[in-house]
Amino acid sequence: DGGITQSPKYLFRKEGQNVTLSCEQNLNHDAMYWYRQDPGQGLRLIYYSQIVNDFQKGDIAEGYSVSREKKESFPLTVTSAQKNPTAFYLCASSTAGDPPTQYFGPGTRLLVL
Amino acid sequence: RKEVEQDPGPFNVPEGATVAFNCTYSNSASQSFFWYRQDCRKEPKLLMSVYSSGNEDGRFTAQLNRASQYISLLIRDSKLSDSATYLCVVNKGGATNKLIFGTGTLLAVQP
């Protein structure tokens, strides 16, 4: 089955701890994205990558880091510098069609202990 | 002003009703438009793209008015399974394919 997988489904972070969220896709999409969703707010873009070994900051990149060493994988690290990390994190990848269309993974819920 | 604005609802409608959602966007250079559906505590899923000529997919009809910067979604013969949050999404254009999401409109279809 083609699709986007995210793990874990739930993640607990202690104060001062870095945590890494996994995102893998087998859709052969070049572009991948990380969003954060908070209650009552629209999805907000954290980072995106249009091609392997390249990525760009989105609207709320502070306190986050990413890597894109493989086309299939785009992990997100939530660092201790992110002071309000509790949220629903969604990874997406995009077709190159017209219009380009984004498809989402099932998400990871991050909770701070 | 938000880049994409939607009425948050909730819209409570009986089964079989017709319901319409509206959305406005602020960037006139926006190039593509979508409706996504999001179930509670799940990821958004693409419902349909929206084209200037209007497009229909079964009970769902989407319309785009570029002059008014307005997007709509009409759901006919509502089913219980249509209960979800509907997200209006706009692609800002350019090479980055950045999407701007509305906060969503909650639909609750009642038996």
Side-chain angles (χ1 to χ4, degrees):
Chain A
D1 280 336
I4 304 171
T5 57
Q6 291 185 243
S7 62
K9 188 172 181 179
Y10 296 96
L11 185 59
F12 299 93
R13 193 190 94 165
K14 296 179 181 178
E15 294 287 342
Q17 186 180 39
N18 292 354
V19 292
T20 297
L21 283 60
S22 168
C23 177
E24 303 279 330
Q25 54 99 0
N26 61 3
L27 300 168
N28 200 34
H29 290 166
D30 284 315
M32 297 185 74
Y33 306 80
W34 273 106
Y35 293 90
R36 168 182 174 140
Q37 188 175 34
D38 295 279
Q41 296 196 39
L43 276 69
R44 293 183 290 167
L45 183 64
I46 303 172
Y47 266 98
Y48 63 99
S49 169
Q50 308 241 186
I51 200 165
V52 175
N53 293 322
D54 185 55
F55 50 83
Q56 308 293 331
K57 292 182 179 180
D59 300 317
I60 55 164
E62 186 175 351
Y64 300 97
S65 65
V66 293
S67 62
R68 187 85 187 277
E69 297 176 1
K70 297 188 299 182
K71 186 175 186 177
E72 302 80 16
S73 179
F74 191 39
L76 173 75
T77 296
V78 184
T79 74
S80 57
Q82 172 49 244
K83 297 307 178 188
N84 185 23
T86 296
F88 188 35
Y89 290 87
L90 289 156
C91 178
S93 68
S94 172
T95 66
D98 184 20
T101 304
Q102 292 189 20
Y103 297 92
F104 288 85
T108 293
R109 290 195 180 275
L110 176 62
L111 298 169
V112 176
L113 298 177
Chain B
R1 183 186 171 188
K2 291 182 180 178
E3 291 188 80
V4 177
E5 294 205 61
Q6 295 181 251
D7 182 341
F11 283 50
N12 294 299
V13 302
E15 271 188 288
T18 296
V19 60
F21 304 137
N22 302 319
C23 169
T24 57
Y25 60 95
S26 60
N27 186 348
S28 60
S30 299
Q31 294 185 352
S32 51
F33 310 88
F34 308 89
W35 285 101
Y36 279 75
R37 169 196 169 126
Q38 186 173 25
D39 292 289
C40 187
R41 302 180 71 81
K42 300 285 189 180
E43 75 275 23
K45 293 186 177 178
L46 179 67
L47 182 64
M48 56 200 305
S49 301
V50 188
Y51 302 108
S52 297
S53 55
N55 47 301
E56 187 173 310
D57 183 2
R59 298 181 293 108
F60 299 84
T61 300
Q63 297 276 356
L64 168 65
N65 184 322
R66 285 188 182 270
S68 302
Q69 296 179 208
Y70 172 94
I71 306 160
S72 66
L73 177 68
L74 184 75
I75 305 176
R76 291 180 299 277
D77 189 22
S78 299
K79 312 291 185 191
L80 294 176
S81 58
D82 293 333
S83 297
T85 296
Y86 291 82
L87 306 175
C88 177
V89 183
V90 173
N91 187 321
K92 291 183 71 169
T96 61
N97 190 25
K98 285 182 68 174
L99 297 184
I100 306 300
F101 288 79
T103 53
T105 298
L106 178 61
L107 172 66
V109 181
Q110 314 289 343

